Amino acid sequence: MNADALTDCWTMTRRELSHWARQPVRLVVGVAFSVMLLLMFGYLIGGGREVRGDYLDYLLPGMLALTMVFGLESTMLAVTQDLNKGVIDRFRSLPMADGAVLVGRAGADMLQSVLSLAALAGVGLALGWRPHGGPGAFLAAVGLLLLLRFAMLWIGIHLALVAGKPELVQAVQILVWPVGFLSNALAAPGSMPGWLGTAVEWNPMSRTATAVRDLLGAPGGEDGHLTAAILWPLALLAVFFPLAVRTFTRLGR
């Protein structure tokens, strides 16, 4: 990607960030949602069967991973709204790099994801959670989480381009829920029926959650999941990033 393309992407990212000033409620709700889930599952529902050690130490890394999967609907809605309002058609008429609009939208979403991770980790620290892996391991865990988010984001963008209309986004968004909850984010696979536990173990989000737990020294962490936690998102990116860009460039042809 050349300098002009990077400039185009940054311009589109700033456009998305300017929406935060006009619609701060959407940003606040997006950040608060993950905190609400942490408090609900940690204290209202509780649980943690088959979890060795403190459940909060197990839950927090899982919630960090779950946050990276949820919340895609705001980006998907923004893409479909731009499509239906003709905004993207106007951008396509400008001398701009292909996909810069999508990369800008993705960049803004990634910044919001960083805020969500910071808010959730801050609440976790206030509740007594402590990471045990050191600063390097903590940064590596954050990197894995953001890599997962980036991959899921391009799946959402591609599906939004295919759906084309905001009213169809809600139907597509339902597909995210099985990925999030059929995982080890909230409960250990050992507490599930054998077939379900096996399916949960193969969930890409479970791989990330387990690797993050290992890096942070939390219960449920296991060696050997780091490679899978990197390869799964990269494989998804290799498929859906070019699909999204190709679908975008074909719009209106």
Side-chain angles (χ1 to χ4, degrees):
M1 185 177 288
N2 58 36
D4 290 338
L6 289 174
T7 300
D8 293 340
C9 293
W10 174 237
T11 300
M12 291 297 97
T13 301
R14 285 191 301 149
R15 169 184 175 260
E16 298 297 336
L17 294 179
S18 68
H19 293 171
W20 290 8
R22 296 194 298 271
Q23 298 175 326
V25 174
R26 178 181 296 182
L27 174 64
V28 172
V29 170
V31 173
F33 178 71
S34 57
V35 174
M36 180 191 68
L37 286 180
L38 173 64
L39 296 175
M40 181 176 66
F41 284 102
Y43 293 97
L44 180 61
I45 297 177
R49 290 185 303 152
E50 302 293 331
V51 173
R52 297 180 179 179
D54 185 79
Y55 182 52
L56 179 62
D57 287 341
Y58 178 90
L59 178 64
L60 200 286
M63 287 302 310
L64 292 173
L66 194 63
T67 300
M68 297 297 95
V69 173
F70 283 171
L72 296 175
E73 69 273 7
S74 60
T75 292
M76 295 171 69
L77 282 171
V79 171
T80 54
Q81 287 170 353
D82 282 349
L83 280 173
N84 285 269
K85 292 178 180 178
V87 175
I88 287 182
D89 288 335
R90 290 196 291 272
F91 284 137
R92 286 168 57 83
S93 67
L94 299 174
M96 183 181 298
D98 288 342
V101 176
L102 302 182
V103 174
R105 179 59 244 182
D109 185 284
M110 292 300 292
L111 290 175
Q112 181 173 340
S113 298
V114 171
L115 293 177
S116 296
L117 288 178
L120 195 59
V123 172
L125 290 172
L127 296 177
W129 168 74
R130 295 292 182 272
H132 303 290
F138 182 80
L139 291 177
V142 171
L144 287 180
L145 292 165
L146 293 177
L147 178 61
L148 176 66
R149 177 63 174 191
F150 197 59
M152 295 299 298
L153 185 59
W154 283 100
I155 296 175
I157 290 175
H158 173 64
L159 293 177
L161 291 171
V162 172
K165 296 181 179 180
E167 56 266 26
L168 296 179
V169 168
Q170 297 300 327
V172 175
Q173 174 65 14
I174 294 175
L175 300 176
V176 175
W177 289 85
V179 177
F181 286 115
L182 290 178
S183 70
N184 64 0
L186 307 175
S191 66
M192 307 172 188
W195 63 271
L196 182 58
T198 300
V200 163
E201 289 285 2
W202 278 95
N203 186 333
M205 203 197 85
S206 294
R207 299 285 185 164
T208 296
T210 301
V212 169
R213 289 184 177 114
D214 183 46
L215 288 169
L216 299 182
E222 298 176 8
D223 294 331
H225 286 260
L226 180 61
T227 300
I230 295 174
L231 292 181
W232 259 118
L234 289 180
L236 293 173
L237 273 173
V239 173
F240 286 97
F241 178 80
L243 275 178
V245 174
R246 186 171 64 179
T247 302
F248 176 78
T249 56
R250 289 180 175 178
L251 291 174
R253 289 184 178 180

